[in-house]
Amino acid sequence: MKKLKDIHLKGSQQEIMTKVLTGSDIEDILSSKFMNQIEFIGDDYVQIINNDSLDVFNYLKIDQKYDLLSSVTSVDRISHFEVVYHLTSLQKNESMVVKIKCGEDRINPNLKSVVSVWRGAELQEREIYDLMGIMFEGHPNMKRLLLWENFEGHPLRKDFVS
């Protein structure tokens, strides 16, 4: 039985599903220019260090043709936060996941905004700020999106008490 990400045949026609890159595949793409930026390689993602992350994302968009930012989300790991980027190359029909740790010991979680690379990140970064408290440096309009301005705290944090 073939997996969804494999090639499926319908009669004489081929349908090709988007290839989901493994951590090793992503490492191969980044290793020529950004090997020192890779912090961890997972089964289906890479984790990069927070410094110079915009250089990595610009390289992925411009040189490697990952032109679509499918989503940006965040995870509260108690000891730190992670921001997770899902990128897609429409030209290559591939997708990848890149993660960045921030806010070790839950203090001052922040990283650079990718709005200058993918305009579609604007509202997603604001939502992450609003609900998780992660600041995005260089964001053009970093303010709450879903909750009112005087709301106390960030309700998706594991330590949030209502």
Side-chain angles (χ1 to χ4, degrees), residues 27-131:
E27 177 191 24
D28 291 344
I29 291 170
L30 293 177
S31 64
S32 64
K33 275 189 94 166
F34 297 102
M35 191 59 182
N36 60 336
Q37 288 290 109
I38 299 173
E39 187 171 19
F40 181 79
I41 301 162
D43 289 338
D44 57 355
Y45 69 93
V46 295
Q47 182 174 304
I48 62 172
I49 59 175
N50 196 351
N51 300 339
D52 302 321
S53 58
L54 277 184
D55 292 339
V56 173
F57 289 128
N58 273 310
Y59 171 75
L60 288 172
K61 180 179 182 185
I62 296 166
D63 296 345
Q64 295 298 317
K65 307 298 184 217
Y66 285 86
D67 46 353
L68 176 64
L69 176 68
S70 302
S71 71
V72 181
T73 189
S74 61
V75 181
D76 184 346
R77 298 277 185 206
I78 299 178
S79 63
H80 65 276
F81 298 96
E82 288 177 352
V83 177
V84 182
Y85 300 86
H86 293 95
L87 311 177
T88 302
S89 171
L90 300 174
Q91 186 175 345
K92 297 181 192 179
N93 201 23
E94 296 175 344
S95 68
M96 72 167 64
V97 177
V98 177
K99 297 181 180 184
I100 302 177
K101 273 172 65 172
C102 63
E104 283 75 17
D105 298 325
R106 307 183 74 74
I107 299 170
N108 193 27
N110 67 72
L111 48 113
K112 293 179 178 141
S113 172
V114 296
V115 170
S116 63
V117 182
W118 295 284
R119 183 72 179 161
E122 184 175 358
L123 295 177
Q124 295 177 71
E125 288 180 351
R126 283 181 59 192
E127 178 183 19
I128 292 168
Y129 162 69
D130 194 5
L131 301 176

